[in-house]
Amino acid sequence: MNLQNALLRNENDTLPIKAGSTVSVFGRNQFAYYKSGTGSGGMVNVTHVTTPLDALQRCDEIRLNGELLQVYEAWLEENPFDKGTGWAGEPWSQKEMPVSDELVSQAAAKSDLALIMIGRTAGEDRDNSADPGSYLLTDTERDMLHKVCRAFEKTVVVLNVGNIIDMQWVSEFHPSAVLYAWQGGMEGGDGLVDVLTGKVAPSGKLADTIAQSIDDYPSTANFGHEDKAVYQEDIYVGYRYFETFAKDKVLYPFGFGLSYTTFQTEVVAASESDGLIEISVKVTNTGSVPGKEVVQIYVEKPQGLLGSPARSLIAFAKTSTIEAGESEVLTYSIPVGDLACYDDGGVTGNKSCYVLESGTYRIYAGTDVRSATPCFECHVDALRVISRLSENMAPVTAFTRMKPVSSETGYTVTYEEVPLRTVSSEARRLAERPENREYTGDKGYTLADVYHQKVSLDAFLDQLTDDDLACMVRGEGMNSPKVTPGTAGAFGGVSDRLNAFGIPAACCSDGPSGIRMDCGTTAFSMPNGTLLACTFNLTLMEDLYEMTGMELRKNRIDTLLGPGMNIHRNPLNGRNFEYFSEDPLLTGKMAAAQLKGMHRVGVTGTLKHFCANNQEFHRHDLNSIVSERALREIYLKGFEIAVKEAGVYAIMTTYGAVNGVWTAGLYDQNTRILRDEWGFQGVVMTDWWAKINDEGGAPSRNNTAAMIRAQNDLYMVVEQPDANPMDDNTLSSLADGSLTRGELLRCAANICRFIMRSPVMERALGVAERSVEVVGLDEVNDEELDFDLPYQPIVDGGQISLENIDTSAGSSHVFAVALEEPGKYEVTITARSSAGELAQMPVTLLQNNVPSTMFTFNGTDGQWVSLTREVFFFNKHAYLKLFFGLSVLQNSIFHRFSHIYSVRTINGTLYIVSNAL
């Protein structure tokens, strides 16, 4: 991913850094590189993170200013990295070291170039803020830029950020070069230095518009509220707004990015026939080094009755590496129907239809939205209906939305009333309920019989009781003992009864930037979604996520919880790093490519968050109020593309509501649009511990009846699905008739279809798991999981025998326990040794592959000695390891002994007690 950094400025050929140069590196971010944002999307355990400093120190072509480096190292000793406290507690940025004029002058005298590193993070449950240290630079950072840019002839600013930040300082301090490095994953430092030194030329393009001020984004006024987000900007998101209404507010346009070479683009053919626009663009490398270029195709639609943005992206393609003086031709085939707009109010006489209004559709080609020039015109003589749909997800709250009006200088903003709902969603749902089927009793069928087409899925499911079905729609987690340790959840065969019918438990793991396994197992941490979108490279996405798919198979995970699909409606959304872009076409195409890559090896991803999850603040309670047109053209469009082009078969809904209905119970979204219109055939799951409501009612976590009625198939997650620990209302709603068995069977069928096309079914059938070899893996840090390790229940007075384990020096023993509840525990080991009192025998207890505590015994001359430590268990299911360390004396003693672990409860607190015999 090294060549995908977005180079925004490069005066006087400052980059690439010339061989033999001495470089002074400023900014603590050189030491503490952000591989990703925070929260579930970034919690990938890695063997290492290559920082920019690591990579620079290994680069033989340049020299670093060692004296400046030592100043930073000494300062960091007194100012360590602040990790924050608790979930979403890490600060957006770290305290920066102040620099004096003297320090900067001394560095400039000894160096050819200054490199300034600035870092930012944000993430789940923590939006960015329009304040210094987040979206804005701090005073210390500004002072550093001022002094360094004044003292050095050549200054490069590198931004290690999850999404765009304020850039007004560029015109104030005039750095020679500016590079968005984004968050590049565990190998981001190496990739960055490859670009800085010219090993490769950058070819990343901005996936978002960078405006002068956060206040210039039309969504800012309606962002960050506790209860509702009014999407008054409607379809005018990002460049769609700026290119229509506010070109002068743009610092760097959508799709912009420089290279170390130059390109000439020429449209060599453009035509339309049988509803298909064909365009060919010749790209010639007119510079002196190899490079890649992205050519983007936009449309300017007639304003008609609906109104439209001045530009909308309709296609893009990226060249391969073009040598200096060479050329490549890119070809595009664009259905004319893709230019249509959605009429949500009937102003064209065709309500709930995609239509082409009469007029001229002007096509533009170029390397960014601003520089694209006209290359073709498509004329529509009379209004044409492209697809006739039905009203879904329409708002019930009155508000106004933007609409352009032509003026002498372009377009001005006016507002119109948004069309409101005209149908009864509930009456329609009742009329569309599936057929009800009765319980037949156990006929002896298993899911394997369905898989081998010996019996229908309906006949198989009719054997299950209402209790069985109610259990199946509950996922188990986190860290379910039924699947790969440390993963987000299990679903399907989550009870002994369901297992008896041959239904295995499928496994899902947090993503999208790599596999999260809380047991400490390492995985590859990939670049964030924003960086990946800036590649505009679909082939690269497929290849990268094929590798991710292989890693999923290696770890027995059936679906990655990603890609993240939500639109960058506003730069302050903390989770933008997980998502791709402000543009729905780029978002959908990138997601489809990632899924195609995973599908190559038989696993999949789970699109999230469906839909309009564009703010983290109060995300569980936020009601997004948005027009049906904006939903269909912007916020649903990326999902639609991924479903239709990649055959998606897993989707996750959001925490919040769209137009008054929490999406986990939103029938219009999860059934009528997703399945009936788009043809989705798969499973829909909630986000973890999401709320659900009936329209007009308060949301709650136990209203699974509303979830099932909407055809959101799985509630994720509970601790013991067959015990109904959250007291959900599935069975009580069956009893009172507000939920039917047919609706419950429909969800169970969706779950079973997912399982039957996943690797877990192969294992259940006894098919040998495909062997996966990870090339270049750090074997020292490769912890092989025991996938079949049983979780042994620890209850009052229970015992677990660990006889005959190897306790020799350097050995370890892995076991798993199921506690009654998470919390703080006293862990006591009682042991004896025939060695003298000066002997030392350390034993380390690791929880989920992370050291929790250490017991260091001295020799006891054969007497029993007890050591007690406090350990906090975050989950009732714990994957534990005892490591027997170092000493040969320990080997000669411990390998002879067995261990018995028992448990006792004192004053309501559970304690694990170990007795070494």
Side-chain angles (χ1 to χ4, degrees):
M1 293 302 155
N2 44 19
L3 64 167
Q4 314 309 337
N5 303 149
L7 181 63
L8 303 189
R9 180 181 175 93
N10 193 22
E11 300 296 310
N12 302 317
D13 294 327
T14 296
L15 290 176
I17 302 172
K18 307 301 185 289
S21 296
T22 297
V23 178
S24 286
V25 187
F26 292 86
R28 74 175 299 158
N29 181 246
Q30 62 186 291
F31 298 89
Y33 177 81
Y34 291 116
K35 67 178 176 62
S36 68
T38 60
S40 59
M43 295 172 66
V44 182
N45 298 310
V46 294
T47 58
H48 64 277
V49 174
T50 301
T51 68
L53 182 61
D54 294 333
L56 286 166
Q57 289 175 325
R58 291 199 298 261
C59 182
D60 295 332
E61 299 175 0
I62 61 175
R63 295 183 298 272
L64 295 184
N65 181 342
E67 292 180 7
L68 178 61
L69 180 61
Q70 290 175 1
V71 172
Y72 270 98
E73 289 173 336
W75 184 84
L76 290 172
E77 288 289 329
E78 302 298 323
N79 297 271
F81 189 92
D82 179 7
K83 297 181 180 179
T85 303
W87 176 260
E90 184 175 326
W92 294 296
S93 61
Q94 297 293 311
K95 177 182 178 182
E96 186 56 81
M97 186 185 86
V99 297
S100 65
D101 286 320
E102 181 182 8
L103 178 67
V104 174
S105 297
Q106 290 174 350
K110 300 175 182 178
S111 306
D112 302 294
L113 178 143
L115 184 64
I116 300 176
M117 295 288 304
I118 294 175
R120 290 291 187 274
T121 192
E124 188 171 4
D125 254 342
R126 186 170 176 82
D127 284 323
N128 294 287
S129 167
D131 296 305
S134 183
Y135 188 71
L136 303 177
L137 298 183
T138 65
D139 289 342
T140 306
E141 289 169 333
R142 290 177 53 82
D143 183 65
M144 174 174 62
L145 278 168
H146 170 67
K147 290 174 179 176
V148 174
C149 291
R150 182 179 59 188
F152 281 79
E153 182 180 347
K154 293 184 176 181
T155 304
V156 180
V157 179
V158 175
L159 301 173
N160 170 210
V161 295
N163 55 282
I164 59 175
I165 65 171
D166 178 79
M167 297 295 291
Q168 295 181 79
W169 48 268
V170 175
S171 61
E172 182 177 357
F173 302 123
H174 305 290
S176 312
V178 177
L179 184 73
Y180 265 89
W182 309 112
Q183 293 163 343
M186 62 188 290
E187 297 295 349
D190 276 333
L192 170 61
V193 172
D194 283 350
V195 170
L196 293 175
T197 59
K199 184 176 180 180
V200 292
S203 63
K205 302 289 185 175
L206 286 176
D208 297 297
T209 304
I210 299 179
Q212 292 179 10
S213 166
I214 190 63
D215 294 325
D216 293 329
Y217 293 90
S219 58
T220 298
N222 288 300
F223 182 87
H225 301 298
E226 293 185 1
D227 57 345
K228 64 183 179 181
V230 179
Y231 286 50
Q232 195 170 33
E233 72 280 1
D234 206 55
I235 61 172
Y236 299 94
V237 180
Y239 72 85
R240 284 172 165 80
Y241 169 79
F242 289 107
E243 297 306 307
T244 307
F245 301 115
K247 288 185 176 182
D248 60 321
K249 299 296 185 181
V250 175
L251 293 177
Y252 303 98
F254 176 88
F256 176 76
L258 301 173
S259 178
Y260 295 153
T261 189
T262 54
F263 295 94
Q264 180 183 35
T265 60
E266 177 188 3
V267 176
V268 294
S271 63
E272 186 269 326
S273 178
D274 297 325
L276 199 64
I277 300 171
E278 303 276 4
I279 298 174
S280 297
V281 181
K282 182 180 180 181
V283 183
T284 302
N285 185 340
T286 56
S288 58
V289 298
K292 297 180 180 181
E293 182 60 287
V294 177
V295 179
Q296 304 146 43
I297 309 296
Y298 297 88
V299 63
E300 179 185 7
K301 305 175 187 180
Q303 288 300 310
L305 296 171
L306 291 170
S308 288
R311 301 288 185 276
S312 296
L313 184 69
I314 54 173
F316 61 88
K318 189 166 194 170
T319 69
S320 58
T321 300
I322 304 177
E323 297 295 327
E326 299 296 317
S327 301
E328 180 178 331
V329 176
L330 299 174
T331 59
Y332 306 81
S333 296
I334 305 161
V336 173
D338 286 359
L339 312 185
C341 298
Y342 186 77
D343 182 357
D344 57 357
V347 296
T348 68
N350 294 276
K351 187 179 184 302
S352 306
C353 295
Y354 275 100
V355 299
L356 287 172
E357 294 194 79
S358 62
T360 298
Y361 291 76
R362 188 167 291 110
I363 310 301
Y364 293 76
T367 56
D368 62 70
V369 68
R370 185 62 58 84
S371 67
T373 56
C375 66
F376 185 69
E377 291 184 352
C378 178
H379 301 282
V380 175
D381 295 330
L383 184 140
R384 291 164 50 187
V385 176
I386 299 302
S387 57
R388 194 172 295 279
L389 304 172
S390 60
E391 179 187 299
N392 288 290
M393 297 178 68
V396 295
T397 302
F399 69 106
T400 58
R401 64 181 175 189
M402 284 185 181
K403 185 178 181 181
V405 171
S406 297
S407 68
E408 293 182 358
T409 57
Y411 297 107
T412 58
V413 175
T414 60
Y415 292 89
E416 66 176 8
E417 294 292 329
V418 171
L420 301 181
R421 186 192 301 170
T422 62
V423 300
S424 170
S425 298
E426 178 62 9
R428 190 166 59 182
R429 184 197 66 78
L430 288 170
E432 296 171 352
R433 281 187 298 185
E435 176 186 352
N436 215 17
R437 304 200 310 272
E438 298 300 322
Y439 170 61
T440 63
D442 189 349
K443 301 292 186 181
Y445 306 141
T446 67
L447 191 60
D449 294 324
V450 181
Y451 183 88
H452 292 300
Q453 301 182 349
K454 295 179 181 179
V455 67
S456 71
L457 180 57
D458 285 353
F460 167 73
L461 290 173
D462 288 345
Q463 303 175 105
L464 302 186
T465 66
D466 291 347
D467 283 339
D468 293 331
L469 295 170
C471 177
M472 195 191 295
V473 297
R474 303 176 191 126
E476 180 174 272
M478 299 182 64
N479 301 303
S480 167
K482 296 179 176 64
V483 292
T484 300
T487 50
F491 59 92
V494 290
S495 72
D496 291 341
R497 276 190 54 83
L498 294 173
N499 290 156
F501 283 100
I503 304 173
C507 180
C508 57
S509 172
D510 271 327
S513 300
I515 304 170
R516 172 188 174 186
M517 290 176 280
D518 287 348
C519 65
T521 305
T522 58
F524 189 81
S525 174
M526 293 179 292
N528 70 14
T530 302
L531 185 153
L532 297 179
C534 290
T535 70
F536 281 73
N537 192 328
L538 302 181
T539 301
L540 182 64
M541 284 306 98
E542 284 197 42
D543 291 345
L544 175 64
Y545 274 79
E546 180 181 14
M547 297 298 100
T548 298
M550 297 292 282
E551 194 172 30
L552 289 167
R553 291 204 72 122
K554 176 180 183 291
N555 289 285
R556 294 192 182 181
I557 298 168
D558 300 288
T559 181
L560 183 74
L561 299 179
M565 297 286 293
N566 296 108
I567 296 297
H568 291 180
R569 177 181 177 238
N570 190 274
L572 298 183
N573 182 10
R575 222 161 174 180
N576 278 350
F577 81 96
E578 291 189 46
Y579 308 143
F580 293 112
S581 171
E582 67 187 24
D583 182 77
L585 178 74
L586 180 58
T587 293
K589 293 287 187 179
M590 284 289 153
Q594 291 184 5
L595 287 155
K596 289 176 183 178
M598 288 186 274
H599 291 173
R600 290 176 185 174
V601 294
V603 294
T604 193
T606 299
L607 299 181
K608 65 181 186 183
H609 304 87
F610 192 47
C611 71
N613 188 74
N614 301 305
Q615 176 182 308
E616 288 300 293
F617 181 63
H618 276 247
R619 58 184 177 154
H620 289 273
D621 305 303
L622 192 70
N623 180 23
S624 294
I625 300 171
V626 54
S627 77
E628 189 183 358
R629 181 183 181 188
L631 285 168
R632 289 187 177 273
E633 292 191 19
I634 304 293
Y635 299 103
L636 290 169
K637 181 59 69 175
F639 290 95
E640 180 182 4
I641 292 168
V643 168
K644 291 181 176 179
E645 294 190 4
V648 174
Y649 53 102
I651 285 181
M652 181 196 297
T653 51
T654 74
Y655 282 127
V658 174
N659 293 325
V661 182
W662 269 248
T663 61
L666 185 46
Y667 178 80
D668 279 6
Q669 172 186 275
N670 301 328
T671 294
R672 303 196 91 253
I673 290 178
L674 175 63
R675 301 177 193 273
D676 298 345
E677 289 186 11
W678 299 349
F680 174 80
Q681 295 183 349
V683 67
V684 178
M685 64 183 71
T686 68
D687 206 338
W688 270 227
W689 310 289
K691 296 177 182 178
I692 315 121
N693 77 321
D694 295 294
E695 186 168 14
S700 69
R701 291 185 172 89
N702 64 357
N703 190 2
T704 49
M707 176 194 83
I708 295 162
R709 288 192 291 264
Q711 210 172 169
N712 186 328
D713 308 297
L714 282 163
Y715 187 84
M716 304 297 283
V717 288
V718 300
E719 285 193 352
Q720 190 177 345
D722 55 355
N724 191 14
M726 294 185 67
D727 192 29
D728 69 45
N729 66 352
T730 298
L731 291 173
S732 62
S733 298
L734 281 172
D736 67 23
S738 60
L739 177 68
T740 69
R741 180 175 165 89
E743 289 170 312
L744 194 49
L745 284 165
R746 181 174 61 181
C747 290
N750 293 333
I751 295 166
C752 287
R753 290 190 190 99
F754 177 93
I755 289 171
M756 286 190 290
R757 65 186 301 183
S758 299
V760 66
M761 192 66 191
E762 297 176 4
R763 294 193 295 275
L765 295 171
V767 177
E769 180 74 6
R770 303 182 206 181
S771 176
V772 178
E773 178 185 359
V774 182
V775 178
L777 184 68
D778 184 349
E779 295 182 359
V780 174
N781 292 290
D782 183 28
E783 294 285 350
E784 287 293 338
L785 288 174
D786 184 348
F787 294 106
D788 301 314
L789 187 68
Y791 281 72
Q792 303 178 69
I794 300 294
V795 296
D796 192 15
Q799 292 186 338
I800 299 173
S801 174
L802 297 178
E803 294 184 87
N804 302 319
I805 67 171
D806 179 10
T807 59
S808 58
S811 67
S812 59
H813 178 71
V814 175
F815 59 106
V817 296
L819 308 172
E820 290 183 321
E821 59 183 355
K824 185 181 289 186
Y825 289 77
E826 273 189 354
V827 178
T828 300
I829 296 181
T830 302
R832 62 182 177 183
S833 165
S834 59
E837 63 179 0
L838 296 181
Q840 297 179 14
M841 293 156 284
V843 181
T844 303
L845 176 68
L846 297 93
Q847 178 186 178
N848 297 332
N849 276 339
V850 177
S852 288
T853 191
M854 177 175 284
F855 303 82
T856 300
F857 289 92
N858 296 109
T860 69
D861 291 322
Q863 301 299 310
W864 293 103
V865 174
S866 295
L867 295 179
T868 300
R869 301 287 185 268
E870 286 189 351
V871 177
F872 192 90
F873 290 87
F874 292 93
N875 193 278
K876 63 182 291 185
H877 298 109
Y879 189 86
L880 303 176
K881 180 196 293 184
L882 288 174
F883 177 77
F884 304 95
L886 301 184
S887 143
V888 174
L889 177 63
Q890 181 187 19
N891 181 44
S892 67
I893 296 169
F894 273 91
H895 81 280
R896 299 184 235 153
F897 305 141
S898 62
H899 301 261
I900 302 294
Y901 286 77
S902 64
V903 64
R904 59 191 173 91
T905 304
I906 299 177
N907 297 327
T909 304
L910 190 64
Y911 296 94
I912 299 174
V913 182
S914 164
N915 300 304
L917 302 179

